[in-house]
Amino acid sequence: MQKNRRSLSFVAGLAALMLSGEAPAFDFNENVDIEAGSESGGESTVNGSIDVGSDAIVNGALETVNGSIRIERNAQVGNVETVNGRIRLAAGVTAEEVASVNGSISLDEQATADSVSVVNGKIRLEPGAQVASGVGNVNGEVVITGAEIGGDLSTVNGDVTLTENARLRGNLVVEEPDGLNWNGDRREPRIVIGPGARVDGEIVLEHEVELFISETAEVGGVTGVMSMDDAVRFSGDRP
Protein backbone atom coordinates (compact mmCIF):
# COMPACT_ATOMS: atom_id res chain seq x y z
CA MET A 1 0.00 0.00 0.00
CA GLN A 2 1.39 3.33 -1.00
CA LYS A 3 0.77 5.21 2.23
CA ASN A 4 2.40 2.61 4.46
CA ARG A 5 5.36 2.20 2.14
CA ARG A 6 5.91 5.93 2.42
CA SER A 7 5.89 5.42 6.20
CA LEU A 8 8.88 3.10 5.84
CA SER A 9 10.83 5.86 4.09
CA PHE A 10 9.89 8.11 7.01
CA VAL A 11 12.26 6.08 9.24
CA ALA A 12 15.32 6.95 7.17
CA GLY A 13 14.16 10.48 6.49
CA LEU A 14 13.52 11.31 10.13
CA ALA A 15 16.87 9.91 11.23
CA ALA A 16 18.68 11.91 8.55
CA LEU A 17 16.81 15.07 9.50
CA MET A 18 17.71 14.71 13.15
CA LEU A 19 21.37 13.99 12.48
CA SER A 20 21.57 17.01 10.20
CA GLY A 21 20.46 19.27 13.03
CA GLU A 22 17.62 20.68 10.92
CA ALA A 23 14.81 19.25 13.04
CA PRO A 24 12.98 21.86 15.17
CA ALA A 25 13.84 22.09 18.89
CA PHE A 26 15.90 18.89 18.66
CA ASP A 27 16.50 16.80 21.82
CA PHE A 28 18.40 13.54 21.36
CA ASN A 29 17.45 11.49 24.44
CA GLU A 30 14.92 13.66 26.23
CA ASN A 31 11.18 13.58 26.77
CA VAL A 32 9.47 16.67 25.39
CA ASP A 33 6.61 18.45 27.17
CA ILE A 34 4.67 21.27 25.54
CA GLU A 35 2.62 23.08 28.16
CA ALA A 36 -1.13 23.51 27.93
CA GLY A 37 -2.13 26.66 26.09
CA SER A 38 1.40 27.37 24.85
CA GLU A 39 2.69 27.76 21.30
CA SER A 40 5.59 25.89 19.70
CA GLY A 41 7.29 25.74 16.34
CA GLY A 42 7.59 21.94 16.47
CA GLU A 43 9.55 19.41 18.52
CA SER A 44 11.74 16.37 17.81
CA THR A 45 13.55 13.75 19.87
CA VAL A 46 15.09 10.33 19.27
CA ASN A 47 14.67 8.29 22.45
CA GLY A 48 11.87 10.07 24.24
CA SER A 49 8.15 10.67 24.32
CA ILE A 50 6.35 13.88 23.35
CA ASP A 51 3.41 15.26 25.35
CA VAL A 52 1.33 18.20 24.16
CA GLY A 53 -0.95 19.91 26.65
CA SER A 54 -4.57 20.92 26.09
CA ASP A 55 -5.21 23.89 23.77
CA ALA A 56 -1.54 24.13 22.77
CA ILE A 57 -0.66 25.17 19.21
CA VAL A 58 2.26 23.50 17.43
CA ASN A 59 3.15 25.22 14.16
CA GLY A 60 5.29 22.37 12.89
CA ALA A 61 5.97 18.66 13.17
CA LEU A 62 6.17 16.40 16.21
CA GLU A 63 8.74 13.66 15.56
CA THR A 64 10.37 10.89 17.57
CA VAL A 65 12.03 7.57 16.79
CA ASN A 66 11.55 5.55 19.98
CA GLY A 67 8.73 7.02 22.02
CA SER A 68 5.03 7.72 22.22
CA ILE A 69 3.28 10.96 21.29
CA ARG A 70 0.28 12.14 23.31
CA ILE A 71 -1.73 15.21 22.34
CA GLU A 72 -4.31 16.46 24.80
CA ARG A 73 -7.74 18.00 24.20
CA ASN A 74 -8.26 20.70 21.56
CA ALA A 75 -4.57 21.10 20.71
CA GLN A 76 -3.60 22.02 17.15
CA VAL A 77 -0.53 20.34 15.62
CA GLY A 78 1.14 19.65 12.27
CA ASN A 79 2.52 16.26 11.24
CA VAL A 80 2.77 13.67 14.03
CA GLU A 81 5.29 10.89 13.35
CA THR A 82 7.06 8.16 15.31
CA VAL A 83 8.87 4.97 14.37
CA ASN A 84 8.39 2.85 17.49
CA GLY A 85 5.61 4.18 19.66
CA ARG A 86 1.95 4.86 20.18
CA ILE A 87 0.19 8.04 19.03
CA ARG A 88 -2.95 9.31 20.74
CA LEU A 89 -5.00 12.34 19.73
CA ALA A 90 -7.45 13.31 22.46
CA ALA A 91 -10.89 14.80 21.86
CA GLY A 92 -10.99 17.84 19.60
CA VAL A 93 -7.36 17.67 18.46
CA THR A 94 -6.56 18.74 14.90
CA ALA A 95 -3.51 17.31 13.12
CA GLU A 96 -2.09 16.89 9.65
CA GLU A 97 -0.42 13.57 8.71
CA VAL A 98 -0.33 11.04 11.57
CA ALA A 99 2.05 8.10 11.04
CA SER A 100 3.82 5.34 12.94
CA VAL A 101 5.80 2.33 11.79
CA ASN A 102 5.41 0.11 14.86
CA GLY A 103 2.72 1.35 17.21
CA SER A 104 -0.98 2.03 17.55
CA ILE A 105 -2.78 5.24 16.58
CA SER A 106 -6.01 6.41 18.20
CA LEU A 107 -8.22 9.44 17.56
CA ASP A 108 -10.71 10.26 20.29
CA GLU A 109 -14.08 11.96 19.84
CA GLN A 110 -14.14 14.85 17.34
CA ALA A 111 -10.39 14.63 16.64
CA THR A 112 -9.40 15.31 13.03
CA ALA A 113 -6.39 14.46 10.86
CA ASP A 114 -5.45 14.69 7.20
CA SER A 115 -4.30 11.06 7.05
CA VAL A 116 -3.52 8.13 9.36
CA SER A 117 -1.07 5.31 8.58
CA VAL A 118 0.71 2.53 10.45
CA VAL A 119 2.78 -0.38 9.20
CA ASN A 120 2.40 -2.69 12.21
CA GLY A 121 -0.22 -1.52 14.66
CA LYS A 122 -3.84 -0.94 15.55
CA ILE A 123 -5.85 2.05 14.34
CA ARG A 124 -8.86 3.24 16.33
CA LEU A 125 -11.23 6.12 15.48
CA GLU A 126 -13.87 7.12 18.02
CA PRO A 127 -17.30 8.71 17.33
CA GLY A 128 -17.09 12.04 15.53
CA ALA A 129 -13.45 11.65 14.56
CA GLN A 130 -12.66 12.55 10.95
CA VAL A 131 -9.78 11.70 8.62
CA ALA A 132 -9.83 13.82 5.48
CA SER A 133 -8.04 11.40 3.15
CA GLY A 134 -6.77 7.85 3.68
CA VAL A 135 -6.39 5.43 6.58
CA GLY A 136 -4.21 2.35 6.26
CA ASN A 137 -2.00 -0.28 7.82
CA VAL A 138 -0.36 -3.56 6.90
CA ASN A 139 -0.74 -5.63 10.07
CA GLY A 140 -3.11 -4.75 12.88
CA GLU A 141 -6.75 -4.23 13.73
CA VAL A 142 -8.67 -1.22 12.39
CA VAL A 143 -11.75 -0.16 14.35
CA ILE A 144 -13.85 2.75 13.05
CA THR A 145 -16.67 3.59 15.46
CA GLY A 146 -19.04 6.34 14.37
CA ALA A 147 -16.20 8.15 12.60
CA GLU A 148 -15.73 9.31 9.00
CA ILE A 149 -12.93 8.69 6.49
CA GLY A 150 -12.86 10.89 3.41
CA GLY A 151 -10.73 8.57 1.25
CA ASP A 152 -9.81 4.89 1.13
CA LEU A 153 -9.25 2.50 4.02
CA SER A 154 -6.60 -0.12 3.23
CA THR A 155 -4.95 -3.07 4.94
CA VAL A 156 -3.13 -6.26 4.04
CA ASN A 157 -3.50 -8.62 6.99
CA GLY A 158 -5.58 -6.57 9.43
CA ASP A 159 -9.09 -7.15 10.76
CA VAL A 160 -11.41 -4.21 10.01
CA THR A 161 -14.60 -3.17 11.80
CA LEU A 162 -16.87 -0.28 10.81
CA THR A 163 -19.75 0.24 13.21
CA GLU A 164 -22.15 2.73 14.83
CA ASN A 165 -22.90 4.64 11.60
CA ALA A 166 -19.26 4.92 10.56
CA ARG A 167 -18.82 6.25 7.04
CA LEU A 168 -16.11 5.47 4.50
CA ARG A 169 -16.36 7.72 1.45
CA GLY A 170 -13.77 5.80 -0.56
CA ASN A 171 -13.00 2.11 -1.04
CA LEU A 172 -12.16 -0.50 1.57
CA VAL A 173 -9.15 -2.31 0.07
CA VAL A 174 -7.60 -5.54 1.34
CA GLU A 175 -4.34 -5.84 -0.55
CA GLU A 176 -2.43 -8.94 -1.57
CA PRO A 177 0.79 -9.35 0.47
CA ASP A 178 4.05 -8.71 -1.35
CA GLY A 179 7.72 -8.93 -0.42
CA LEU A 180 7.50 -5.95 1.92
CA ASN A 181 4.59 -7.14 4.03
CA TRP A 182 4.53 -10.92 3.65
CA ASN A 183 4.94 -12.59 7.05
CA GLY A 184 3.96 -16.13 6.10
CA ASP A 185 0.57 -15.87 7.81
CA ARG A 186 -2.26 -16.65 5.41
CA ARG A 187 -5.11 -16.30 7.90
CA GLU A 188 -8.11 -14.59 6.43
CA PRO A 189 -8.71 -11.10 7.84
CA ARG A 190 -12.14 -10.53 9.40
CA ILE A 191 -13.99 -7.62 7.78
CA VAL A 192 -17.16 -6.46 9.55
CA ILE A 193 -19.41 -3.72 8.17
CA GLY A 194 -21.64 -3.16 11.18
CA PRO A 195 -25.08 -1.65 11.80
CA GLY A 196 -25.63 1.70 10.11
CA ALA A 197 -22.14 1.76 8.59
CA ARG A 198 -21.77 3.06 5.06
CA VAL A 199 -19.09 2.36 2.44
CA ASP A 200 -19.68 4.77 -0.44
CA GLY A 201 -17.10 3.02 -2.61
CA GLU A 202 -16.47 -0.68 -3.01
CA ILE A 203 -14.95 -3.39 -0.86
CA VAL A 204 -12.00 -4.41 -3.04
CA LEU A 205 -10.58 -7.79 -2.06
CA GLU A 206 -7.24 -8.89 -3.52
CA HIS A 207 -7.28 -12.02 -1.33
CA GLU A 208 -9.98 -13.87 0.54
CA VAL A 209 -11.35 -12.60 3.85
CA GLU A 210 -14.13 -13.41 6.28
CA LEU A 211 -16.70 -10.81 5.22
CA PHE A 212 -19.71 -9.86 7.37
CA ILE A 213 -22.15 -7.11 6.36
CA SER A 214 -25.01 -5.93 8.57
CA GLU A 215 -28.49 -5.90 7.09
CA THR A 216 -28.64 -2.18 7.94
CA ALA A 217 -25.26 -1.30 6.39
CA GLU A 218 -24.80 0.26 2.94
CA VAL A 219 -22.00 -0.92 0.65
CA GLY A 220 -21.27 0.16 -2.93
CA GLY A 221 -20.31 -3.38 -3.91
CA VAL A 222 -17.76 -6.16 -3.41
CA THR A 223 -15.15 -6.78 -6.13
CA GLY A 224 -11.94 -8.75 -6.60
CA VAL A 225 -11.62 -12.39 -5.55
CA MET A 226 -15.00 -12.29 -3.76
CA SER A 227 -18.45 -10.86 -4.44
CA MET A 228 -21.44 -9.66 -2.42
CA ASP A 229 -22.78 -13.22 -2.59
CA ASP A 230 -19.84 -14.35 -0.46
CA ALA A 231 -20.69 -11.96 2.38
CA VAL A 232 -22.44 -13.20 5.50
CA ARG A 233 -25.37 -10.88 6.25
CA PHE A 234 -26.29 -10.45 9.89
CA SER A 235 -28.74 -8.66 12.16
CA GLY A 236 -28.03 -7.33 15.62
CA ASP A 237 -24.95 -5.52 16.88
CA ARG A 238 -22.36 -8.01 15.64
CA PRO A 239 -22.07 -11.21 13.62
Side-chain angles (χ1 to χ4, degrees):
M1 60 182 51
Q2 292 299 319
K3 190 65 181 176
N4 289 319
R5 286 167 187 158
R6 286 198 296 271
S7 294
L8 291 174
S9 66
F10 154 68
V11 179
L14 178 56
L17 177 65
M18 290 179 167
L19 291 174
S20 72
E22 296 176 3
F26 173 65
D27 292 297
F28 198 85
N29 291 309
E30 298 290 337
N31 294 332
V32 176
D33 291 302
I34 299 174
E35 295 183 359
S38 66
E39 187 167 347
S40 168
E43 299 287 349
S44 296
T45 184
V46 175
N47 298 308
S49 63
I50 299 175
D51 293 300
V52 179
S54 300
D55 300 302
I57 298 175
V58 180
N59 297 307
L62 300 171
E63 300 169 329
T64 183
V65 176
N66 299 305
S68 61
I69 301 177
R70 294 178 293 270
I71 305 169
E72 298 302 329
R73 296 176 65 92
N74 301 318
Q76 301 175 43
V77 300
N79 291 345
V80 183
E81 300 174 323
T82 182
V83 178
N84 300 304
R86 176 186 178 190
I87 299 174
R88 175 176 176 266
L89 275 59
V93 168
T94 61
E96 296 177 6
E97 178 178 327
V98 181
S100 177
V101 177
N102 300 302
S104 64
I105 295 178
S106 61
L107 274 64
D108 289 353
E109 296 86 348
Q110 308 302 323
T112 63
D114 289 346
S115 65
V116 172
S117 63
V118 179
V119 178
N120 301 303
K122 179 177 180 178
I123 297 173
R124 177 180 61 83
L125 273 59
E126 294 290 354
Q130 294 187 354
V131 178
S133 58
V135 170
N137 72 354
V138 175
N139 303 299
E141 185 180 15
V142 180
V143 179
I144 312 299
T145 305
E148 181 173 313
I149 299 170
D152 292 346
L153 191 165
S154 59
T155 188
V156 176
N157 300 308
D159 295 340
V160 177
T161 300
L162 276 67
T163 190
E164 295 185 20
N165 301 311
R167 184 171 186 181
L168 173 62
R169 293 185 177 272
N171 295 324
L172 195 166
V173 183
V174 182
E175 298 184 1
E176 180 70 19
D178 61 17
L180 270 177
N181 49 47
W182 169 247
N183 61 10
D185 182 5
R186 290 296 296 183
R187 67 173 287 276
E188 296 180 352
R190 180 181 171 91
I191 309 299
V192 179
I193 311 301
R198 179 173 173 180
V199 179
D200 292 353
E202 297 179 325
I203 299 176
V204 182
L205 303 175
E206 297 181 4
H207 64 94
E208 291 188 353
V209 303
E210 296 180 359
L211 179 59
F212 302 89
I213 301 177
S214 167
E215 294 177 351
T216 63
E218 297 182 38
V219 175
V222 178
T223 62
V225 301
M226 298 173 64
S227 70
M228 186 69 80
D229 292 338
D230 298 309
V232 177
R233 305 306 296 264
F234 68 96
S235 59
D237 293 338
R238 58 183 61 87

